[in-house]
Amino acid sequence: MSRMGTQTLVFDSPPFIAAQTSIVGPKEGKGPLAEWFDVILEDDLLGQQSWEMAESEMVCRAVERTLRAANLSADAAQAMLGGDLNGQIIASSFAARTLGIPFLGLYGACSTFIQALILGASLVSGGYLDNALCAASSHYCTAERQFRFPVEMGNQRPPQASWTTTACGCALLSRQAAPDALRVTCGTIGRVIDLEIKDSNHMGAAMAPAVCSCISAHFADTGRTAADYDLIATGDLGWIGRNILMELFHRDKTDMPDEKLIDCGASIFFQEQDSHAGGSGCGCVASVSCGWLMKRLQRGELKRALITGSGAMLSPISCQQGQSIPGIAYAVCIEGGAK
Amino acid sequence: MSRMGTQTLVFDSPPFIAAQTSIVGPKEGKGPLAEWFDVILEDDLLGQQSWEMAESEMVCRAVERTLRAANLSADAAQAMLGGDLNGQIIASSFAARTLGIPFLGLYGACSTFIQALILGASLVSGGYLDNALCAASSHYCTAERQFRFPVEMGNQRPPQASWTTTACGCALLSRQAAPDALRVTCGTIGRVIDLEIKDSNHMGAAMAPAVCSCISAHFADTGRTAADYDLIATGDLGWIGRNILMELFHRDKTDMPDEKLIDCGASIFFQEQDSHAGGSGCGCVASVSCGWLMKRLQRGELKRALITGSGAMLSPISCQQGQSIPGIAYAVCIEGGAK
């Protein structure tokens, strides 16, 4: 338990990732990462009466599958940290109601999963909890209703718009796990950054400055560079936002090799899947982290990755009032266990 | 850093409350607790263009006043934890944008301030941070717009409805402070409890079961009873919700002397102020804690208080879909310093 620089928490007793689950919807299940996800839903309503309850059911299933994989009962789960994009984070809070697990609700927009990992790792590494479930979800239809228009309206989307993924990721942090389990070793808390983007369809542009700030703070705090990581992932900047981020790094003279930086949102869909700028939503970085990234770390293909989540504080009310869209980002370092 | 029972975190190096600020609106400033608040606003628009930006400005002022009182610059503030009732917690996140302090956004509805104190105390006691700002706000006009109708509509309110306070509370937790500063010694994380209340005007009824569950868990975890506290405060159950809570304790055979339990929402307004069931909103427990309760602890009138915050996961969307309203609660123990 210590602190490095101005924004980075170091977990001296790094919690293990005892188990993790990724669930995605049918469209995401046809994308390039399909083979990496644990569950691909055939029906994105999950047998529920509304999209919101469907998203909540997806969170329940992700948590329950994670607990089963870790051979832990829901009663033994000490806390669930998480959130989603719905107002009043109902997907997560209704799931916590069903599951009966002590709940810490977070709102970091699409950065929520990484925010949950940092806070969860702090609580487990600090000895407050033996385990902590970190989860985040999004659903295309709930997000459209929350932020834009009902899907039934068939509203046209501009090219810079991203497609909110129907997806959920859940990781169980634990003080005890197999010695080769992944570990969360440090995390960086971002600042809210606003470069005056007002286009509510251009999330990548709204978030890229916050991601640049957070990764730069991480490097400054830890003395590391991109060379210290096998992979640096961003959450859901999409193809355009990722380019903006690279420009920002270039402007700041921060070395960031193009091949080392992957964006989850730019990776989850094929371009011909009509997702426009790429995938977004809390579930994007959550499912891609729990699927693709953690599994590659578990296989030893990567030794150490920095995963960034970013959120656009996109509020329908503040947008209608002419306010710009601030962004926030968090970063966690995940390392492979002993082989 | 340790854990007690199933839901309680014990802060072995209890963080100090180095400074705190309470700001309330004009109506709250005419209530019975007026003398205890640091700032009573004359204008609840705070010179802004919208209620939402007014609420955000209130958060900024509360944070800045707290930092001044602690003689700390914003640059030296290591994290701000907080939230509000607005979708995408824009009052808090826009304030964090202005202040430039690393931000952890929370959503616990009206329980947010207590949730922030627990997480903030964990991070400071755990050695991750030297200090943490914990803040929460609400504004009558933003909450009406978010959850009900624009105020201009003059919608009639039923007797069980509470009045969302225009208020903000901010506390600076620190590893270092004067030896007689208050300390946050433990905190209990609640579960989401739902007794199927569907009346979106009856927040007290929706939250009381979660408060009962949280306080009962706190007692079970710590082996304490009401006798171990000079005061037990609930956040914003209001007059009706407080009665429901007392009934729940009675049903469970939990000893809770009537004179020891105060409800912030039932205390902040005179009954003749037309607030109906009492005050509510994140700012209610936040401002009453930072005003009345912490100041009484600082004066030595109270030695040890348990302050509970509760939130109703009231979502306009889920209510319209016929869902009931789950509640969540958190509790923190605050103790007077050495005299």
Side-chain angles (χ1 to χ4, degrees):
Chain A
M1 300 80 75
S2 58
R3 190 155 175 282
M4 200 179 259
T6 57
Q7 294 170 242
T8 302
L9 316 183
V10 179
F11 308 121
D12 292 336
S13 312
F16 293 103
I17 297 175
Q20 87 270 5
T21 297
S22 54
I23 301 185
V24 298
K27 183 183 173 92
E28 294 72 18
K30 295 187 181 75
L33 301 180
E35 64 180 302
W36 296 91
F37 299 122
D38 298 308
V39 178
I40 296 173
L41 299 169
E42 288 181 21
D43 166 22
D44 60 1
L45 198 51
L46 291 91
Q48 302 296 308
Q49 297 286 322
S50 71
W51 302 119
E52 286 73 16
M53 291 306 107
E55 185 177 342
S56 192
E57 170 68 18
M58 182 167 61
V59 178
C60 279
R61 291 188 191 178
V63 170
E64 286 167 348
R65 196 177 202 281
T66 305
L67 290 172
R68 273 199 307 275
N71 203 17
L72 199 73
S73 71
D75 285 348
Q78 298 187 340
M80 171 177 163
L81 297 90
D84 53 84
L85 291 174
N86 296 281
Q88 300 79 46
I89 55 169
I90 46 174
S92 307
S93 57
F94 278 63
R97 174 185 68 177
T98 304
L99 296 159
I101 301 169
F103 179 61
L104 292 160
L106 310 178
Y107 190 82
C110 305
S111 70
T112 302
F113 182 66
I114 307 300
Q115 187 193 2
L117 286 180
I118 294 176
L119 283 171
S122 301
L123 294 173
V124 173
S125 173
Y128 299 109
L129 299 175
D130 295 326
N131 62 59
L133 288 152
C134 303
S137 68
S138 55
H139 192 296
Y140 178 72
C141 299
T142 65
E144 288 298 296
R145 169 149 49 206
Q146 178 70 43
F147 295 105
R148 297 177 189 92
F149 300 98
V151 240
E152 294 81 355
M153 197 173 135
N155 197 50
Q156 206 168 0
R157 307 167 63 249
Q160 73 274 27
S162 52
W163 184 281
T164 307
T165 56
T166 297
C168 179
C170 175
L172 178 73
L173 302 182
S174 177
R175 299 177 77 173
Q176 294 187 315
D180 63 345
L182 304 182
R183 293 160 304 153
V184 180
T185 52
C186 62
T188 300
I189 304 172
R191 297 177 199 272
V192 177
I193 309 284
D194 190 341
L195 293 195
E196 300 283 329
I197 301 295
K198 293 195 173 185
D199 177 355
S200 65
N201 276 301
H202 205 348
M203 297 293 91
M207 296 187 293
V211 177
C212 179
S213 163
C214 181
I215 293 179
S216 300
H218 179 82
F219 287 167
D221 286 351
T222 59
R224 294 179 187 170
T225 67
D228 293 297
Y229 288 99
D230 299 319
L231 187 83
I232 295 173
T234 53
D236 52 352
L237 298 175
W239 291 292
I240 305 172
R242 185 185 176 286
N243 286 343
I244 295 172
L245 177 64
M246 290 302 286
E247 278 181 38
L248 292 171
F249 280 135
H250 185 72
R251 188 199 63 181
D252 291 350
K253 302 193 173 36
T254 300
D255 184 47
M256 181 62 70
D258 193 66
E259 68 281 5
K260 198 164 269 187
L261 184 80
I262 71 108
D263 180 70
C264 299
S267 306
I268 196 168
F269 294 122
F270 291 112
Q271 293 222 2
E272 55 271 28
Q273 278 184 288
D274 194 31
S275 71
H276 296 209
S280 63
C282 304
C284 184
V285 70
S287 64
V288 175
S289 294
C290 292
W292 195 32
L293 303 178
M294 291 183 191
K295 287 181 183 173
R296 287 184 66 197
L297 282 154
Q298 281 158 345
R299 289 181 187 184
E301 293 172 25
L302 306 167
K303 297 287 186 201
R304 184 198 264 175
L306 185 70
I307 309 182
T308 317
S310 60
M313 291 300 183
L314 169 62
S315 155
I317 289 177
S318 64
C319 283
Q320 284 161 12
Q321 291 174 352
Q323 294 290 322
S324 53
I325 305 164
I328 179 97
Y330 302 95
V332 284
C333 173
I334 300 183
E335 303 190 29
K339 289 291 164 192
Chain B
M1 299 80 75
S2 60
R3 188 155 177 282
M4 200 180 261
T6 57
Q7 293 171 243
T8 301
L9 316 183
V10 178
F11 309 122
D12 292 336
S13 312
F16 293 103
I17 297 175
Q20 87 270 5
T21 298
S22 53
I23 300 184
V24 299
K27 183 183 173 94
E28 294 72 19
K30 295 188 182 75
L33 301 180
E35 64 181 303
W36 296 91
F37 298 121
D38 298 308
V39 179
I40 296 173
L41 299 169
E42 288 180 20
D43 166 22
D44 59 1
L45 198 52
L46 291 92
Q48 302 297 307
Q49 297 286 321
S50 71
W51 302 119
E52 286 73 16
M53 291 306 108
E55 185 177 341
S56 191
E57 170 67 18
M58 182 166 63
V59 178
C60 279
R61 291 188 192 179
V63 170
E64 286 167 348
R65 197 177 200 281
T66 305
L67 290 172
R68 275 198 307 276
N71 203 16
L72 198 74
S73 71
D75 285 349
Q78 298 187 341
M80 170 177 163
L81 297 90
D84 52 84
L85 292 174
N86 296 280
Q88 299 79 45
I89 56 169
I90 47 174
S92 308
S93 57
F94 278 63
R97 173 185 69 178
T98 305
L99 295 159
I101 301 169
F103 179 60
L104 291 160
L106 310 179
Y107 190 82
C110 305
S111 70
T112 302
F113 182 66
I114 307 300
Q115 188 192 1
L117 285 179
I118 293 176
L119 283 171
S122 301
L123 293 173
V124 173
S125 173
Y128 299 110
L129 298 175
D130 295 326
N131 62 59
L133 288 153
C134 303
S137 69
S138 54
H139 193 297
Y140 178 72
C141 299
T142 65
E144 289 298 297
R145 169 149 49 206
Q146 178 70 44
F147 295 104
R148 298 177 189 92
F149 301 98
V151 247
E152 294 81 355
M153 196 172 136
N155 197 49
Q156 205 168 359
R157 307 166 63 249
Q160 72 274 29
S162 52
W163 186 279
T164 307
T165 55
T166 298
C168 179
C170 174
L172 178 72
L173 302 183
S174 178
R175 298 176 78 171
Q176 294 187 315
D180 63 346
L182 304 182
R183 294 159 305 154
V184 180
T185 52
C186 63
T188 300
I189 304 172
R191 298 178 198 272
V192 177
I193 308 283
D194 190 341
L195 293 196
E196 300 284 329
I197 301 294
K198 292 194 173 186
D199 177 356
S200 66
N201 276 301
H202 205 349
M203 297 293 91
M207 296 187 292
V211 177
C212 179
S213 163
C214 181
I215 293 179
S216 300
H218 179 82
F219 287 166
D221 286 351
T222 60
R224 294 179 187 169
T225 67
D228 292 298
Y229 289 98
D230 299 320
L231 187 84
I232 295 172
T234 53
D236 52 352
L237 297 176
W239 290 291
I240 304 172
R242 185 186 178 285
N243 287 343
I244 296 172
L245 177 63
M246 290 302 286
E247 277 180 39
L248 292 170
F249 281 136
H250 184 72
R251 188 199 61 182
D252 291 351
K253 301 195 172 35
T254 300
D255 185 47
M256 181 61 70
D258 192 67
E259 69 280 6
K260 198 164 268 186
L261 184 80
I262 70 109
D263 181 70
C264 299
S267 306
I268 196 168
F269 294 122
F270 292 112
Q271 293 223 0
E272 55 271 26
Q273 277 184 290
D274 195 31
S275 72
H276 296 208
S280 63
C282 305
C284 183
V285 70
S287 65
V288 174
S289 294
C290 293
W292 195 32
L293 303 178
M294 290 183 191
K295 286 181 182 173
R296 287 184 66 196
L297 283 154
Q298 281 158 344
R299 289 181 186 183
E301 294 172 23
L302 306 168
K303 297 287 185 201
R304 184 198 265 174
L306 184 72
I307 309 182
T308 317
S310 59
M313 291 301 184
L314 170 63
S315 156
I317 289 176
S318 64
C319 282
Q320 284 161 13
Q321 291 173 352
Q323 293 291 321
S324 54
I325 305 164
I328 180 99
Y330 302 96
V332 283
C333 172
I334 301 183
E335 304 190 29
K339 288 289 165 194

